[in-house]
Amino acid sequence: MTRTDDQNYDNRPDGVSKQNWTNLVDYWYSPEFQKLSKLGKDARASLGYAHFSGATRFANRRAELEDANNKVKECLASSSSKSRVDIEVFNDLMYNGE
């Protein structure tokens, strides 16, 4: 289903000025943007795999996982109970130790 120009203009989110929204909608439907959009879709389709990291960059995600791995190693070295280590690491990672 396609919307009319007026419907697109009327679908302005809160906090966005009418002029800015109109300019953005006009840009989205411009031939220049449509060409760029198609190029991006084709490039993503050619990758052959999907990224599921969300907004977090891979380098940040890797650093978080390395930190988690180090915390597990530290807890295992200082505790004899694996279940206690799991709980401590989970709480530390999910709730910052609170």
Side-chain angles (χ1 to χ4, degrees), residues 26-44:
D26 289 343
Y27 176 67
W28 282 339
Y29 288 96
S30 71
E32 174 190 0
F33 181 83
Q34 294 299 313
K35 180 181 174 184
L36 292 174
S37 178
K38 182 176 178 350
L39 285 172
K41 286 177 187 176
D42 292 346
R44 286 188 301 277

Side-chain angles (χ1 to χ4, degrees), residues 14-86:
D14 293 337
V16 178
S17 73
K18 186 174 183 175
Q19 183 61 47
N20 284 344
W21 183 249
T22 301
N23 290 341
L24 183 59
V25 169
D26 289 343
Y27 176 67
W28 282 339
Y29 288 96
S30 71
E32 174 190 0
F33 181 83
Q34 294 299 313
K35 180 181 174 184
L36 292 174
S37 178
K38 182 176 178 350
L39 285 172
K41 286 177 187 176
D42 292 346
R44 286 188 301 277
S46 72
L47 290 176
Y49 54 89
H51 294 269
F52 295 102
S53 185
T56 304
R57 294 173 185 248
F58 283 108
N60 293 350
R61 181 77 66 199
R62 184 177 0 182
E64 290 171 358
L65 292 174
E66 286 174 6
D67 288 346
N69 191 30
N70 290 334
K71 288 176 183 179
V72 168
K73 288 178 184 176
E74 289 171 16
C75 287
L76 285 172
S78 65
S79 177
S80 61
S81 169
K82 184 180 180 322
S83 62
R84 181 73 186 148
V85 169
D86 292 342

